Amino acid sequence: MGATEVVTKKPTISPLEATLRVAWKRAKQVWTQIYHSRNAMAGLIILLFFASLAITAPWIAPYRPTQPVADATCSTLPVPATYLQPPCPAHPLGTNYNSNDIYSQVIWGTQISFIVGIASAVVATVVGTAVGLISGYVGGWIDEVLMRFNDVILSIPWLVLMIIVAAKVGVVDLTGLILVIGLTGWSVTARVIRSQVLSIKERMFVERAKMLGAPSSRILVRHVFPNAFPLIFANTILTVAVSILSESVLAFLGLRPPDTYSWGRIIAEAIENAAVLYNAWWLIVPGLCIVFLVFGFYLFGYALDEILNPRLRRR
Amino acid sequence: MRKVLRIMVRRTVNAAITIFGILCLNYVLIRLMPGNAEANLAPHNPQYAGYLADNIRTFGLDRSPEEQFVIYLQNAFTFNWGISYYWKQPVADLLLHDLSWTLLLVGTSTIFTTLIGMVVGSFAAVRRGKPFDLISTGGTIFLYGMPIFWLGIVLQLAFQKYGAISHVFTWWPWFPTQGYWDDPNTGFPQVWAWDWTHISNVLWHLVLPALTLSLGTLAGISLVMRSSLIDVMTEDFVLTAKAKGLSDRQVLRRHIFPNGLPPMVSLIALDIAFIFGGAYQVEWVFNYKGIGWRTIEAIGHLDFPTLQFIIVIGGVAIVLANLFSDFLLLWLDPRIKIT
């Protein structure tokens, strides 16, 4: 039944479909290269490990992050108590001052890192891509204005910017946190996309489309964006890593939504309660989790960047 | 020469525009903060009524927004930055004092990061795909992924005076983990003197913060160095140089480095913004009272007069570093003059 339809139908595809088609075609080529790149595979394995931890957290974590434990089996205090227990088989990382099981908190924290990291990277990428595409393709004074604004954002120390935006937006919940990180983290993306657009703009097929009378908006959506997409994707993965780091820094400095136990928050609470004196694991394990998750994103992102960015390929 | 001059003028104008943009954004940001500017510029306590009156006069808060903006710009350029109501000192004095310590920290770590990063990056580029490349690239990315504040705390744990490690290994060195100097006799910073005891003490205190910052920002340089050199290695003139029989070392010295190094200058300058961002965390963790420490304290105390110009001073420092790197590049890289 499909055959006649395909023939009679005009071969027009939606911009989204064009993007997806180009992306799918490239993705298949890229996958074989990823498969043969040691760094990319190592990164991917780390990411899959943490992703499975995040997904299965409700089943593998013995307690909820804010749920106090009932037993005091590990307590070394003269009068056994449920709080501040040292590590032992029942509580591999001990318990904190609220009698919460730190091991469970670390597992639940994986979810927060993924959610905040990916969501704010998407926000940053959407804003950065829009700015980069417009600025690179339109050029002229719009480009000048956008790039000067970008310079300003890049020059202000990002931490200060983030804290001030946080004071404005208010870090009352995860959405606020995601917006803060996303809205302050798009300037590098915008620069990368802009330079890519500048080079795509000069290619033959864009010239051809122009000659055939395609409007700029169409060229932008149908030709420039799909071709810049692989780079945008690789850049998003790197942005996720940066966002996870930003989240932990904000949590460390006290900008943390209540009731979300991220790794940054666990570290901050450990420091605030002088964990070093009796239970250094409280501090070290969530830190290592951040390091390895970010390492995974970076390894995968850089390897992908090297695969997708033709300049770096060995000729 | 005309061309060089034109580029220089353009870069300077751009930097001036950026600084102006920072000033504008700062003006807007502070006024966007919760509460009105008038209330923000003095603490919410009747005993500070004098400060409020002072600040209203200094910042012209009873005037119209346009007038306020002009007054703000005037104040910004004449260093008339108001009085911090938490530290009760002129903000300009406070920040210039802080800036000197931050520049010491950032400067030291930038030098170390740059040197080590460039060496590691070029070794990795030359041995692309070999074990050294894989290990160094992986290692630097691993360091890059560390939250700098966490790295600082772990280093503090490892190198504190009576730490767990020095308990087991008596030869394990220790370094100060707090502050930027102290009197060797009393353990507190008292009277500064320009002698060897004090200067060495400052350097002694600088070891851990600078190490943290350098390790945390190493990858920024080494990865870019590596990819910059690899970029050059794929150029045709390198192939030609090899074909005419030059040794690998000669190709590297005469063809790859001269072409691959100049672009690094602007990338290092871009990285300074990142190092500055890291310095905020390092200063907080090590109680190293520079701009970053001051910023976080000022946010905690909602000390708006201080906060207002901290953004400007950090931003301007970065813009000037970038401008300087542009000029340096112009002098180093003849290709820019042609295009």
Side-chain angles (χ1 to χ4, degrees), chain B residues 32 66 82 92 129-130 132 242:
Chain B
L32 275 180
E66 300 85 46
K130 303 270 167 57
F132 181 85
K242 275 184 189 158

Side-chain angles (χ1 to χ4, degrees), chain B residues 90-148:
Chain B
V91 172
D93 296 355
L94 217 57
L95 293 192
L96 291 179
H97 166 264
D98 292 347
L99 190 65
S100 58
W101 287 106
T102 299
L103 285 181
L104 177 68
L105 176 63
V106 170
T108 318
S109 355
T110 308
I111 291 168
F112 277 107
T113 315
T114 309
L115 288 180
I116 300 170
M118 285 171 91
V119 171
V120 171
S122 41
F123 268 106
V126 173
R127 292 165 175 68
R128 191 180 178 196
K130 303 270 167 57
F132 181 85
D133 180 27
L134 292 177
I135 292 168
S136 73
T137 309
T140 46
I141 295 179
F142 189 75
L143 284 174
Y144 204 43
M146 277 191 192
I148 291 179

Side-chain angles (χ1 to χ4, degrees), chain A residues 82-138:
Chain A
T82 53
Y83 51 83
L84 296 178
Q85 298 182 45
C88 72
H91 306 293
L93 297 176
T95 59
N96 71 4
Y97 57 94
N98 271 339
S99 308
N100 303 136
D101 183 42
I102 295 164
Y103 170 69
S104 306
Q105 283 189 341
V106 170
I107 293 177
W108 282 98
T110 322
Q111 284 191 346
I112 308 289
S113 284
F114 266 96
I115 293 170
V116 173
I118 293 174
S120 34
V122 168
V123 173
T125 306
V126 168
V127 178
T129 306
V131 172
L133 280 179
I134 292 170
S135 155
Y137 191 77
V138 179

Side-chain angles (χ1 to χ4, degrees), chain A residues 31 86 104 110 119 129 141 166 202 238 273 305:
Chain A
W31 170 247
S104 306
T110 322
T129 306
W141 66 269
E202 302 303 319
L238 294 178
N273 292 283
D305 198 41

Side-chain angles (χ1 to χ4, degrees), chain A residues 242-253:
Chain A
V242 176
S243 305
I244 292 172
L245 283 178
S246 305
E247 188 275 333
S248 70
V249 176
L250 286 183
F252 173 66
L253 294 177

